[in-house]
Amino acid sequence: FGDTRLSSCAPFEATTKHVGGYFDPAVSKQLREIALQEDSSLQALLGEAIDMLFQSRRKPTIAQKRVKP
């Protein structure tokens, strides 16, 4: 109750699905460093990585279509 963070994200989350995994903390740190260096976000970096995986498997690159600005 009363969590404003959830209500502000709700419209975007209503049309998306969370995809995640568990990795060594160093992975998280390195991703955050790259995002900071490139003035990007984890969401954008993960979308890029997922699209690269799809491309290598000859699938449509669709992950970055829904990235928040």
Side-chain angles (χ1 to χ4, degrees), residues 2-3 9 11-12 15-16 21 23 28 30 34-35 37 41 46 52 56 59 64:
D3 188 345
C9 294
F12 184 77
T15 60
T16 61
F23 300 93
S28 175
Q30 189 162 294
I34 293 169
Q37 290 169 352
S41 66
L46 293 173
M52 290 171 70
S56 75
K59 300 289 184 187
Q64 295 186 73

Side-chain angles (χ1 to χ4, degrees), residues 5 33 50 56-57 66:
R5 181 185 58 84
E33 289 172 354
I50 291 167
S56 75
R57 303 298 200 280
R66 305 290 304 181

Side-chain angles (χ1 to χ4, degrees), residues 11-68:
F12 184 77
E13 290 177 355
T15 60
T16 61
K17 178 85 173 149
H18 178 264
V19 177
Y22 292 95
F23 300 93
D24 188 280
V27 173
S28 175
K29 182 179 180 183
Q30 189 162 294
L31 281 170
R32 287 183 286 123
E33 289 172 354
I34 293 169
L36 183 63
Q37 290 169 352
E38 297 182 1
D39 192 28
S40 189
S41 66
L42 290 178
Q43 179 78 25
L45 292 177
L46 293 173
E48 179 183 351
I50 291 167
D51 273 346
M52 290 171 70
L53 175 69
F54 288 161
Q55 186 175 25
S56 75
R57 303 298 200 280
R58 295 187 175 104
K59 300 289 184 187
T61 55
I62 56 175
Q64 295 186 73
K65 292 180 180 181
R66 305 290 304 181
V67 174
K68 280 187 193 181

